[in-house]
PDB file of all heavy atoms in Angstrom:
ATOM      1  N   LYS W 246      69.573  13.141  29.264  1.00 94.00           N
ATOM      2  CA  LYS W 246      70.592  13.668  28.339  1.00 94.00           C
ATOM      3  C   LYS W 246      70.237  13.197  26.929  1.00 94.00           C
ATOM      4  O   LYS W 246      70.038  12.000  26.708  1.00 94.00           O
ATOM      5  CB  LYS W 246      71.972  13.120  28.718  1.00 94.00           C
ATOM      6  CG  LYS W 246      72.630  13.877  29.839  1.00 94.00           C
ATOM      7  CD  LYS W 246      74.162  13.936  29.602  1.00 94.00           C
ATOM      8  CE  LYS W 246      74.846  14.897  30.541  1.00 94.00           C
ATOM      9  NZ  LYS W 246      74.829  14.441  31.937  1.00 94.00           N
ATOM     10  N   ARG W 248      70.798  13.353  22.519  1.00 94.00           N
ATOM     11  CA  ARG W 248      71.813  13.521  21.467  1.00 94.00           C
ATOM     12  C   ARG W 248      71.081  13.561  20.135  1.00 94.00           C
ATOM     13  O   ARG W 248      70.172  12.762  19.891  1.00 94.00           O
ATOM     14  CB  ARG W 248      72.779  12.343  21.530  1.00 94.00           C
ATOM     15  CG  ARG W 248      73.902  12.433  20.531  1.00 94.00           C
ATOM     16  CD  ARG W 248      74.895  11.340  20.770  1.00 94.00           C
ATOM     17  NE  ARG W 248      74.448  10.086  20.188  1.00 94.00           N
ATOM     18  CZ  ARG W 248      75.213   9.000  20.077  1.00 94.00           C
ATOM     19  NH1 ARG W 248      76.443   9.018  20.558  1.00 94.00           N
ATOM     20  NH2 ARG W 248      74.743   7.908  19.524  1.00 94.00           N
ATOM     21  N   ILE W 265      68.700   9.026  23.676  1.00 93.00           N
ATOM     22  CA  ILE W 265      68.873   9.436  25.067  1.00 93.00           C
ATOM     23  C   ILE W 265      69.992   8.589  25.665  1.00 93.00           C
ATOM     24  O   ILE W 265      70.226   7.461  25.221  1.00 93.00           O
ATOM     25  CB  ILE W 265      67.588   9.288  25.911  1.00 93.00           C
ATOM     26  CG1 ILE W 265      67.052   7.861  25.847  1.00 93.00           C
ATOM     27  CG2 ILE W 265      66.527  10.269  25.452  1.00 93.00           C
ATOM     28  CD1 ILE W 265      65.942   7.588  26.839  1.00 93.00           C
ATOM     29  N   LEU W 266      70.671   9.138  26.635  1.00 93.00           N
ATOM     30  CA  LEU W 266      71.781   8.426  27.258  1.00 93.00           C
ATOM     31  C   LEU W 266      71.273   7.118  27.868  1.00 93.00           C
ATOM     32  O   LEU W 266      70.239   7.116  28.536  1.00 93.00           O
ATOM     33  CB  LEU W 266      72.412   9.307  28.346  1.00 93.00           C
ATOM     34  CG  LEU W 266      73.775   8.837  28.856  1.00 93.00           C
ATOM     35  CD1 LEU W 266      74.835   9.022  27.778  1.00 93.00           C
ATOM     36  CD2 LEU W 266      74.157   9.628  30.101  1.00 93.00           C
ATOM     37  N   CYS W 267      71.980   6.024  27.598  1.00 89.00           N
ATOM     38  CA  CYS W 267      71.562   4.717  28.087  1.00 89.00           C
ATOM     39  C   CYS W 267      71.564   4.714  29.621  1.00 89.00           C
ATOM     40  O   CYS W 267      72.574   5.028  30.241  1.00 89.00           O
ATOM     41  CB  CYS W 267      72.507   3.648  27.556  1.00 89.00           C
ATOM     42  SG  CYS W 267      72.165   2.018  28.235  1.00 89.00           S
ATOM     43  N   ARG W 268      70.398   4.359  30.198  1.00 83.00           N
ATOM     44  CA  ARG W 268      70.341   4.413  31.667  1.00 83.00           C
ATOM     45  C   ARG W 268      70.898   3.148  32.301  1.00 83.00           C
ATOM     46  O   ARG W 268      71.030   3.052  33.502  1.00 83.00           O
ATOM     47  CB  ARG W 268      68.934   4.709  32.149  1.00 83.00           C
ATOM     48  CG  ARG W 268      67.916   3.682  31.767  1.00 83.00           C
ATOM     49  CD  ARG W 268      66.508   4.261  31.854  1.00 83.00           C
ATOM     50  NE  ARG W 268      65.593   3.478  31.048  1.00 83.00           N
ATOM     51  CZ  ARG W 268      64.827   2.502  31.536  1.00 83.00           C
ATOM     52  NH1 ARG W 268      64.883   2.185  32.791  1.00 83.00           N
ATOM     53  NH2 ARG W 268      64.025   1.842  30.735  1.00 83.00           N
ATOM     54  N   PHE W 269      71.218   2.158  31.467  1.00 86.00           N
ATOM     55  CA  PHE W 269      71.798   0.927  32.006  1.00 86.00           C
ATOM     56  C   PHE W 269      73.302   1.065  32.201  1.00 86.00           C
ATOM     57  O   PHE W 269      73.878   0.443  33.076  1.00 86.00           O
ATOM     58  CB  PHE W 269      71.482  -0.258  31.106  1.00 86.00           C
ATOM     59  CG  PHE W 269      70.007  -0.512  30.990  1.00 86.00           C
ATOM     60  CD1 PHE W 269      69.275  -0.035  29.920  1.00 86.00           C
ATOM     61  CD2 PHE W 269      69.337  -1.203  31.997  1.00 86.00           C
ATOM     62  CE1 PHE W 269      67.908  -0.247  29.829  1.00 86.00           C
ATOM     63  CE2 PHE W 269      67.965  -1.412  31.920  1.00 86.00           C
ATOM     64  CZ  PHE W 269      67.254  -0.932  30.834  1.00 86.00           C
ATOM     65  N   CYS W 270      73.949   1.859  31.341  1.00 90.00           N
ATOM     66  CA  CYS W 270      75.415   1.979  31.449  1.00 90.00           C
ATOM     67  C   CYS W 270      75.855   3.430  31.568  1.00 90.00           C
ATOM     68  O   CYS W 270      77.045   3.707  31.639  1.00 90.00           O
ATOM     69  CB  CYS W 270      76.074   1.336  30.239  1.00 90.00           C
ATOM     70  SG  CYS W 270      75.671   2.170  28.694  1.00 90.00           S
ATOM     71  N   SER W 271      74.908   4.369  31.557  1.00 89.00           N
ATOM     72  CA  SER W 271      75.218   5.795  31.615  1.00 89.00           C
ATOM     73  C   SER W 271      76.227   6.222  30.556  1.00 89.00           C
ATOM     74  O   SER W 271      77.047   7.105  30.796  1.00 89.00           O
ATOM     75  CB  SER W 271      75.730   6.190  33.002  1.00 89.00           C
ATOM     76  OG  SER W 271      74.770   5.866  33.955  1.00 89.00           O
ATOM     77  N   GLY W 272      76.187   5.575  29.406  1.00 87.00           N
ATOM     78  CA  GLY W 272      76.995   6.052  28.299  1.00 87.00           C
ATOM     79  C   GLY W 272      78.297   5.309  28.063  1.00 87.00           C
ATOM     80  O   GLY W 272      78.973   5.550  27.068  1.00 87.00           O
ATOM     81  N   THR W 273      78.640   4.399  28.957  1.00 86.00           N
ATOM     82  CA  THR W 273      79.918   3.705  28.737  1.00 86.00           C
ATOM     83  C   THR W 273      79.775   2.601  27.691  1.00 86.00           C
ATOM     84  O   THR W 273      80.762   2.143  27.141  1.00 86.00           O
ATOM     85  CB  THR W 273      80.448   3.081  30.052  1.00 86.00           C
ATOM     86  OG1 THR W 273      79.405   2.263  30.600  1.00 86.00           O
ATOM     87  CG2 THR W 273      80.827   4.152  31.051  1.00 86.00           C
ATOM     88  N   GLY W 274      78.551   2.197  27.413  1.00 81.00           N
ATOM     89  CA  GLY W 274      78.335   1.172  26.394  1.00 81.00           C
ATOM     90  C   GLY W 274      78.017  -0.170  27.016  1.00 81.00           C
ATOM     91  O   GLY W 274      78.725  -0.645  27.898  1.00 81.00           O
ATOM     92  N   CYS W 275      76.922  -0.770  26.581  1.00 85.00           N
ATOM     93  CA  CYS W 275      76.557  -2.093  27.086  1.00 85.00           C
ATOM     94  C   CYS W 275      75.762  -2.817  26.000  1.00 85.00           C
ATOM     95  O   CYS W 275      75.507  -2.268  24.941  1.00 85.00           O
ATOM     96  CB  CYS W 275      75.750  -1.967  28.388  1.00 85.00           C
ATOM     97  SG  CYS W 275      74.119  -1.218  28.195  1.00 85.00           S
ATOM     98  N   CYS W 278      72.383  -1.075  24.773  1.00 80.00           N
ATOM     99  CA  CYS W 278      72.477   0.060  23.848  1.00 80.00           C
ATOM    100  C   CYS W 278      73.380  -0.269  22.666  1.00 80.00           C
ATOM    101  O   CYS W 278      73.801   0.634  21.947  1.00 80.00           O
ATOM    102  CB  CYS W 278      72.966   1.301  24.574  1.00 80.00           C
ATOM    103  SG  CYS W 278      74.555   1.109  25.382  1.00 80.00           S
ATOM    104  N   ASP W 280      76.345  -1.083  22.594  1.00 74.00           N
ATOM    105  CA  ASP W 280      77.665  -0.476  22.801  1.00 74.00           C
ATOM    106  C   ASP W 280      77.720   0.989  22.386  1.00 74.00           C
ATOM    107  O   ASP W 280      78.790   1.571  22.307  1.00 74.00           O
ATOM    108  CB  ASP W 280      78.743  -1.255  22.033  1.00 74.00           C
ATOM    109  CG  ASP W 280      79.997  -1.405  22.879  1.00 74.00           C
ATOM    110  OD1 ASP W 280      79.885  -1.281  24.109  1.00 74.00           O
ATOM    111  OD2 ASP W 280      81.075  -1.626  22.309  1.00 74.00           O
ATOM    112  N   ARG W 281      76.567   1.589  22.105  1.00 76.00           N
ATOM    113  CA  ARG W 281      76.585   2.978  21.675  1.00 76.00           C
ATOM    114  C   ARG W 281      76.620   3.931  22.864  1.00 76.00           C
ATOM    115  O   ARG W 281      77.000   5.084  22.729  1.00 76.00           O
ATOM    116  CB  ARG W 281      75.333   3.298  20.865  1.00 76.00           C
ATOM    117  CG  ARG W 281      75.249   2.582  19.540  1.00 76.00           C
ATOM    118  CD  ARG W 281      73.918   2.905  18.872  1.00 76.00           C
ATOM    119  NE  ARG W 281      73.698   2.053  17.715  1.00 76.00           N
ATOM    120  CZ  ARG W 281      72.627   2.139  16.953  1.00 76.00           C
ATOM    121  NH1 ARG W 281      71.695   3.020  17.215  1.00 76.00           N
ATOM    122  NH2 ARG W 281      72.476   1.342  15.916  1.00 76.00           N
ATOM    123  N   GLY W 282      76.153   3.443  24.020  1.00 85.00           N
ATOM    124  CA  GLY W 282      76.041   4.339  25.173  1.00 85.00           C
ATOM    125  C   GLY W 282      74.748   5.141  25.123  1.00 85.00           C
ATOM    126  O   GLY W 282      74.403   5.841  26.066  1.00 85.00           O
ATOM    127  N   TRP W 283      74.069   5.056  23.998  1.00 90.00           N
ATOM    128  CA  TRP W 283      72.856   5.839  23.783  1.00 90.00           C
ATOM    129  C   TRP W 283      71.763   4.936  23.249  1.00 90.00           C
ATOM    130  O   TRP W 283      72.049   3.943  22.601  1.00 90.00           O
ATOM    131  CB  TRP W 283      73.122   6.956  22.781  1.00 90.00           C
ATOM    132  CG  TRP W 283      74.142   7.931  23.230  1.00 90.00           C
ATOM    133  CD1 TRP W 283      75.499   7.782  23.157  1.00 90.00           C
ATOM    134  CD2 TRP W 283      73.909   9.197  23.845  1.00 90.00           C
ATOM    135  NE1 TRP W 283      76.133   8.882  23.684  1.00 90.00           N
ATOM    136  CE2 TRP W 283      75.175   9.773  24.109  1.00 90.00           C
ATOM    137  CE3 TRP W 283      72.761   9.911  24.198  1.00 90.00           C
ATOM    138  CZ2 TRP W 283      75.316  11.020  24.717  1.00 90.00           C
ATOM    139  CZ3 TRP W 283      72.900  11.169  24.784  1.00 90.00           C
ATOM    140  CH2 TRP W 283      74.170  11.704  25.047  1.00 90.00           C
ATOM    141  N   ILE W 284      70.526   5.306  23.501  1.00 89.00           N
ATOM    142  CA  ILE W 284      69.398   4.541  22.974  1.00 89.00           C
ATOM    143  C   ILE W 284      68.545   5.449  22.106  1.00 89.00           C
ATOM    144  O   ILE W 284      68.149   6.556  22.511  1.00 89.00           O
ATOM    145  CB  ILE W 284      68.563   3.930  24.126  1.00 89.00           C
ATOM    146  CG1 ILE W 284      69.402   2.844  24.802  1.00 89.00           C
ATOM    147  CG2 ILE W 284      67.252   3.352  23.610  1.00 89.00           C
ATOM    148  CD1 ILE W 284      68.767   2.205  25.994  1.00 89.00           C
TER     149      ILE W 284
ATOM    150  N   LYS Y  19      86.494   3.124  19.390  1.00 91.00           N
ATOM    151  CA  LYS Y  19      85.264   3.611  20.011  1.00 91.00           C
ATOM    152  C   LYS Y  19      84.998   5.068  19.653  1.00 91.00           C
ATOM    153  O   LYS Y  19      83.864   5.456  19.355  1.00 91.00           O
ATOM    154  CB  LYS Y  19      85.402   3.460  21.532  1.00 91.00           C
ATOM    155  CG  LYS Y  19      84.080   3.425  22.206  1.00 91.00           C
ATOM    156  CD  LYS Y  19      84.180   2.850  23.590  1.00 91.00           C
ATOM    157  CE  LYS Y  19      82.777   2.832  24.177  1.00 91.00           C
ATOM    158  NZ  LYS Y  19      82.692   2.056  25.380  1.00 91.00           N
ATOM    159  N   ASN Y  23      81.920   6.616  17.427  1.00 92.00           N
ATOM    160  CA  ASN Y  23      81.081   7.709  17.913  1.00 92.00           C
ATOM    161  C   ASN Y  23      80.989   8.847  16.906  1.00 92.00           C
ATOM    162  O   ASN Y  23      79.908   9.369  16.632  1.00 92.00           O
ATOM    163  CB  ASN Y  23      81.637   8.192  19.257  1.00 92.00           C
ATOM    164  CG  ASN Y  23      80.628   9.046  19.983  1.00 92.00           C
ATOM    165  OD1 ASN Y  23      79.442   8.716  19.999  1.00 92.00           O
ATOM    166  ND2 ASN Y  23      81.078  10.156  20.539  1.00 92.00           N
TER     167      ASN Y  23
END
Side-chain angles (χ1 to χ4, degrees):
Chain W
K246 278 215 169 68
R248 182 173 81 170
I265 56 170
L266 194 70
C267 174
R268 62 200 159 96
F269 298 97
C270 64
S271 302
T273 53
C275 67
C278 58
D280 221 21
R281 293 176 190 181
W283 298 81
I284 291 177
Chain Y
K19 202 162 181 168
N23 195 42

